């Protein structure tokens, strides 16, 4: 499978040309992000550039870049093994063209082996690293902590806390509330990403018949998770991606209004940049 971008390479060039004072974070749609630091460290998290598996999963946002055109990356991180988080056609070309390191859990590495990244995309074994809860990674001027994640649909999900002198960024993968209180107590998180979506009638993977399906946090769950994490700012993700699962993120202002956290909402669309 090859990736065909709707946007040419302008977003990649914007990331490469950026010279942030602290942390700059771009939203790639779905649950993908690029983090770039004042020390010129660049990390991709869950970049997914596929179109899904129509008609069951149908991509609703543009494909923002061709991964083979990435020229700057120090690491790529995967939160869990689902195809829109660990995906050879989206991520292996980044590793092959930049020499970046790849980090994900044991279940994510099962996907890497099944898709034969080493054979099919010229990825080398020494680029592939397994992580688990409690690990800490030093990537340039970033320290990345691997923390728990409650995602009942995944085999082994994790979340990531990015610490930098300018602020702390959290990426929760597709996790729901339940495992985040200790994370909220341990870190002062400036900006946190949590997956948000509606419940939809999605064709069952076995029968093809429409089935009531819930993959992400609803309005109340995402605010509950934000309070467990004690987030200063919540950035909802994933709400734009799958047909039947899309929703309107500005409704979260109403749901968050009477709670201590988050103090504010950051509503980002694909291609947007947020700075810490």
């Amino acid at each position: 499978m090859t990736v065909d971008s709707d946007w040419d390479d302008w977003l990649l060039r914007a990331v490469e040309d950026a010279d942030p004072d602290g942390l700059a974070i771009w939203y790639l749609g779905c649950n993908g992000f690029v983090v770039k630091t004042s020390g010129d460290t660049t990390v991709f998290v869950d970049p997914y550039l596929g179109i899904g598996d129509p008609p069951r999963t149908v991509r609703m946002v543009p494909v923002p870049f061709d991964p083979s055109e990435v020229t700057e990356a120090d690491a790529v991180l995967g939160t869990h093994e689902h195809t829109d988080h660990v995906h050879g056609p989206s991520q292996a070309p980044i590793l092959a063209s930049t020499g970046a390191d790849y980090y994900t859990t044991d279940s994510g590495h099962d996907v890497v082996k099944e898709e034969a990244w080493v054979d099919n995309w010229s990825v080398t074994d020494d680029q592939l690293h397994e992580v688990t809860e409690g690990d800490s990674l030093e990537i340039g001027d970033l320290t990345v902590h691997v923390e728990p994640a409650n995602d009942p649909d995944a085999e082994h999900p994790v979340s990531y806390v990015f610490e930098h002198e300018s602020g702390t960024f959290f990426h929760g993968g597709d996790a729901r509330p339940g495992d985040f209180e200790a994370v909220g107590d341990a870190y002062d998180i400036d900006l946190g990403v949590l997956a948000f979506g509606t419940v939809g009638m999605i064709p069952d993977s076995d029968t093809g018949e429409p089935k009531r399906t819930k993959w992400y946090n609803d309005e109340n769950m995402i605010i509950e998770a934000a309070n467990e994490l004690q987030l200063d700012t919540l950035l909802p993700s994933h709400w734009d991606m799958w047909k039947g699962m899309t929703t309107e993120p500005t409704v979260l202002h109403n749901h968050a209004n009477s709670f201590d956290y988050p103090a504010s909402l950051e509503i980002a669309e694909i291609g947007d940049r947020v700075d810490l």
Side-chain angles (χ1 to χ4, degrees):
M1 173 186 171
T2 59
V3 170
D4 294 316
S5 173
D6 301 304
W7 279 6
D8 198 18
D9 66 348
W10 69 264
L11 181 57
L12 291 179
R13 304 295 84 86
V15 173
E16 292 170 5
D17 292 344
D19 185 19
D21 291 331
L23 283 182
I25 300 159
W26 288 262
Y27 180 41
L28 305 177
C30 194
N31 220 346
F33 289 82
V34 187
V35 179
K36 187 173 185 179
T37 75
S38 54
D40 207 33
T41 299
T42 303
V43 177
F44 287 75
V45 189
D46 282 352
Y48 177 66
L49 305 165
I51 62 168
D53 184 21
R56 183 168 187 260
T57 50
V58 180
R59 186 182 185 107
M60 299 296 287
V61 290
V63 177
F65 61 88
D66 178 337
S68 67
E69 295 183 352
V70 176
T71 62
E72 297 181 4
D74 295 285
V76 181
L77 309 182
T79 58
H80 62 287
E81 74 282 350
H82 291 165
T83 191
D84 53 341
H85 299 264
V86 178
H87 184 242
S90 298
Q91 296 156 9
I94 300 175
L95 308 184
S97 63
T98 65
D101 290 305
Y102 186 76
Y103 300 92
T104 191
T105 62
D106 50 0
S107 61
H109 279 284
D110 288 341
V111 176
V112 171
K113 294 174 185 175
E114 289 168 8
E115 295 181 338
W117 290 19
V118 171
D119 296 327
N120 292 331
W121 286 282
S122 301
V123 174
T124 60
D125 286 321
D126 61 358
Q127 291 178 271
L128 304 173
H129 310 277
E130 185 177 314
V131 295
T132 195
E133 296 88 339
D135 289 348
S136 292
L137 314 172
E138 299 296 331
I139 307 172
D141 55 339
L142 282 171
T143 300
V144 182
H145 302 280
V146 185
E147 296 293 345
N150 171 34
D151 182 354
D153 296 322
E155 292 180 23
H156 186 183
V158 293
S159 59
Y160 294 109
V161 178
F162 296 77
E163 286 192 312
H164 187 260
E165 61 183 11
S166 65
T168 301
F169 171 59
F170 172 83
H171 191 298
D174 289 352
R176 291 91 183 274
D179 281 352
F180 286 151
E181 287 188 358
V183 180
D185 289 338
Y187 306 97
D188 182 8
I189 302 173
D190 297 291
L191 175 67
V193 165
L194 292 167
F196 175 47
T198 192
V199 175
M201 295 298 288
I202 303 298
D204 183 79
S205 57
D206 295 324
T207 67
E209 293 298 317
K211 178 182 178 182
R212 188 179 189 276
T213 303
K214 183 176 185 177
W215 284 333
Y216 313 115
N217 292 292
D218 64 15
E219 295 90 341
N220 297 306
M221 294 170 69
I222 197 171
I223 299 304
E224 182 181 356
N227 277 269
E228 289 182 354
L229 290 160
Q230 303 174 48
L231 296 183
D232 289 343
T233 301
L234 166 65
L235 193 162
S237 63
H238 233 318
W239 56 269
D240 55 358
M241 185 60 179
W242 300 126
K243 184 173 180 60
M245 293 288 185
T246 60
T247 189
E248 172 48 66
T250 59
V251 302
L252 295 177
H253 288 286
N254 300 317
H255 291 270
N257 189 46
S258 64
F259 291 91
D260 292 334
Y261 302 99
S264 64
L265 284 170
E266 182 74 44
I267 305 300
E269 295 180 326
I270 183 171
D272 285 351
R273 171 178 167 173
V274 179
D275 287 274
L276 290 185

